[in-house]
Amino acid sequence: MRRINFQPELRSVFEEIGKIAKNLGFSVYLVGGPVRDILLGRSFQDVDVVCVGNAVKLAKVFSKRVKGELIYRRRFPNATVKWNNSAKIDFVSARSEVYPKNKVGLPRIRRTKDFLIDLKRRDFTVNAIAVDLNPESFGNIYDPFNGLGDCQKRLIRILHPDSFKEDPTRIFRAIRFSIELSFQIEENTKKLLSRDLKYLKALSQKRLWKEIKLCLKDGSDVLNYLRKYGVLRVLGFSYPGQSFLERIDVGSIQFDVDPVDTLIMALLEKKSLRNYNFEKSFIRQIKYVREVNNKVLRNIEVVHKLFKLEDYSLLYLFARYPKNSIIIENFFDNREKLQPELNGEDMKRMGVEESPDIGWLMKRIIEGKWIGKISDRKEEVELVERYLEGKDVSW
Ligand code: ATP
Ligand code: MG
């Protein structure tokens, strides 16, 4: 029996969990991501523990012991314990999952007394290795699908041929893990992935976009992989190409913008928004962007449109239309300075009546700054004075 070597700190936490479980009459195992990451010598954050018994009870006692915070979820049921600001352990009761036979859907879930059955419901061999945390057999590795071999060969392999059909989100997970771990997708798994692409269309919008977002967190290059494996084609998505992705990378660093929403915007470029139930604010941003799009941005009204855009939308315009990129850059760098120094009160003191004219004058000042005709407070005051004298102050 192979055994795992934990770092001393981790070891004492896991030994504690094993002892508590024993006192409660349960048994307990470390599973999934952390096992894989320890074997690969990678760092990890979230810990998953499977309990044969009542996982919530185990979590409660453990959380008292470490003076942690217990987050309880009714679904399944499971519980998370957080402590020391960063450490986080998920406690889940061992379960089996039975998928509906003739359609794609969520599985029927049953508790099981056999933790090996819990490993069978998992996605890939490297995620289906368990480590015993029970005091008598602490550290023993259980690896019924030869995940250790696949760790060594650096392969993502599903556990059975219907895996992708049962849960098409695993298609995204396979691609995501292959990038994150620098693994290859095993040949037969690759074939089955292609065969079962069609089931992606059966995913709910919510599950689909959750997976897409998780993938996009790995960076813009992920889109190349989603295209390579046919995922984008099956879902009817496309994106503007490699140089667009490169400009996204440059812009997201230069302007310090998270590009996930920008990339989603790109996927939706040719799509009618009616088919998607995104948040209203996001839909509004897409509409604003479509109004500006590839217009020649020197147009004086454009600055007002740019002020309505969130950073991720500005990044989109920056990357999508290179001829406008300098203007967007300019806007990112100077938008604070474009705000008028004069406020409504200043204008009223100068004699402007309380009316929509105040807002109108503000806009003229912003435009003046945008086109370089106004550079300081004195020139703002002069514009208001010209207005008060009845002169034309539009640019
Ligand atoms: P990381 O958290 O580093 O991305 P992970 O392996 O911990 O990797 P999670 O999404 O946290 O991934 O899931 C925890 C474990 O639950 C996985 O290792 C896997 O065994 C199982 N799992 C998660 N999602 C699925 C799924 N869709 N199908 C089958 N098993 C899954
Ligand atoms: Mg995890």
Side-chain angles (χ1 to χ4, degrees):
M1 178 68 69
R2 276 202 57 169
R3 297 169 66 84
I4 204 160
N5 268 330
F6 292 121
Q7 290 168 345
E9 242 174 85
L10 268 183
R11 186 183 171 95
S12 60
V13 172
F14 291 149
E15 278 175 343
E16 183 69 24
I17 292 174
K19 279 183 212 151
I20 297 172
K22 188 178 177 192
N23 283 337
L24 292 168
F26 306 153
S27 53
V28 68
Y29 305 85
L30 181 69
V31 288
V35 177
R36 176 198 70 214
D37 291 337
I38 290 171
L39 293 169
L40 291 171
R42 296 175 69 206
S43 63
F44 59 93
Q45 274 188 329
D46 301 349
V47 172
D48 299 296
V49 163
V50 161
C51 171
V52 180
N54 186 331
V56 175
K57 223 180 211 173
L58 173 60
K60 267 186 194 155
V61 180
F62 176 70
S63 111
K64 272 206 192 113
R65 199 71 54 87
V66 294
K67 298 193 175 61
E69 180 196 352
L70 181 81
I71 304 156
Y72 169 68
R73 278 179 228 92
R74 244 170 228 294
R75 274 190 74 195
F76 297 140
N78 60 22
T80 300
V81 178
K82 279 187 187 172
W83 80 105
N84 281 351
N85 294 327
S86 61
K88 180 170 157 270
I89 301 189
D90 284 336
F91 293 82
V92 186
S93 300
R95 65 184 202 233
S96 67
E97 294 185 346
V98 181
Y99 281 85
K101 274 261 166 330
N102 297 315
K103 61 177 178 57
V104 176
L106 294 175
R108 216 176 42 190
I109 291 169
R110 290 265 154 79
R111 288 233 187 149
T112 171
K113 290 201 162 54
D114 181 354
F115 80 96
L116 290 172
I117 287 185
D118 185 284
L119 293 182
K120 277 193 191 162
R121 70 175 171 89
R122 293 180 180 268
D123 47 5
F124 310 116
T125 57
V126 293
N127 287 346
I129 309 171
V131 175
D132 205 322
L133 301 184
N134 303 297
E136 286 82 29
S137 37
F138 189 86
N140 284 353
I141 296 178
Y142 303 100
D143 180 25
F145 302 99
N146 193 21
L148 286 171
D150 286 337
C151 270
Q152 260 167 4
K153 288 189 237 153
R154 306 187 79 79
L155 289 177
I156 299 292
R157 186 197 307 266
I158 45 176
L159 306 191
H160 59 87
D162 281 337
S163 184
F164 289 128
K165 181 181 162 193
E166 280 182 358
D167 180 356
T169 64
R170 292 173 189 158
I171 293 178
F172 287 104
R173 292 177 65 85
I175 295 170
R176 188 153 61 80
F177 283 123
S178 80
I179 297 171
E180 284 170 11
L181 304 173
S182 308
F183 276 30
Q184 298 289 324
I185 300 178
E186 180 271 332
E187 280 310 313
N188 194 42
T189 298
K190 234 186 232 174
K191 279 193 198 119
L192 293 165
L193 187 153
S194 291
R195 184 196 71 182
D196 290 344
L197 281 172
K198 53 182 176 288
Y199 297 108
L200 284 172
K201 287 189 278 194
L203 282 176
S204 69
Q205 288 285 313
K206 195 172 156 208
R207 292 182 78 205
L208 175 71
W209 287 104
K210 185 175 164 225
E211 292 303 323
I212 293 179
K213 278 184 192 172
L214 282 172
C215 280
L216 292 176
K217 284 205 178 114
D218 284 341
S220 67
D221 195 35
V222 106
L223 287 179
N224 290 327
Y225 288 89
L226 291 176
R227 192 182 56 182
K228 177 176 136 193
Y229 287 109
V231 173
L232 296 187
R233 177 177 44 77
V234 163
L235 295 171
F237 293 135
S238 58
Y239 59 90
Q242 183 58 26
S243 52
F244 168 75
L245 298 185
E246 279 162 20
R247 283 194 296 276
I248 294 253
D249 292 343
V250 170
S252 73
I253 293 169
Q254 189 175 341
F255 311 125
D256 193 18
V257 181
D258 179 348
V260 169
D261 287 330
T262 316
L263 294 164
I264 292 177
M265 222 174 222
L267 291 176
L268 295 171
E269 188 175 282
K270 296 198 179 104
K271 293 284 196 175
S272 155
L273 298 178
R274 251 176 295 142
N275 306 332
Y276 303 97
N277 50 351
F278 286 112
E279 274 180 36
K280 281 203 179 75
S281 56
F282 185 64
I283 298 275
R284 215 177 304 130
Q285 285 294 307
I286 296 182
K287 288 184 177 155
Y288 290 155
V289 162
R290 288 180 181 181
E291 276 172 30
V292 181
N293 258 346
N294 56 349
K295 299 212 177 72
V296 181
L297 283 188
R298 271 174 222 295
N299 189 336
I300 210 157
E301 291 112 88
V302 155
V303 65
H304 304 304
K305 296 210 193 273
L306 296 186
F307 266 118
K308 290 202 278 187
L309 296 180
E310 298 287 343
D311 287 1
Y312 63 84
S313 307
L314 290 166
L315 175 60
Y316 180 84
L317 289 174
F318 171 85
R320 184 70 180 88
Y321 304 107
K323 71 170 183 224
N324 287 333
S325 61
I326 291 176
I327 289 160
I328 303 290
E329 204 173 337
N330 188 13
F331 184 75
F332 263 118
D333 291 345
N334 294 305
R335 61 185 161 179
E336 275 96 41
K337 286 183 236 150
L338 290 173
Q339 292 295 355
E341 284 183 48
L342 295 183
N343 59 30
E345 288 308 308
D346 296 327
M347 291 194 191
K348 276 193 261 173
R349 263 195 301 275
M350 291 176 67
V352 181
E353 272 181 44
E354 171 120 39
S355 67
D357 282 15
I358 289 182
W360 185 86
L361 282 166
M362 293 279 187
K363 282 191 162 177
R364 301 294 84 75
I365 293 174
I366 290 173
E367 290 166 1
K369 291 183 158 202
W370 178 241
I371 58 175
K373 300 270 186 183
I374 291 181
S375 55
D376 56 19
R377 186 182 173 99
K378 190 168 140 274
E379 286 172 342
E380 290 184 26
V381 170
E382 282 166 10
L383 178 134
V384 176
E385 283 170 350
R386 284 209 304 282
Y387 159 87
L388 289 168
E389 288 162 14
K391 291 183 182 153
D392 180 17
V393 295
S394 50
W395 301 104

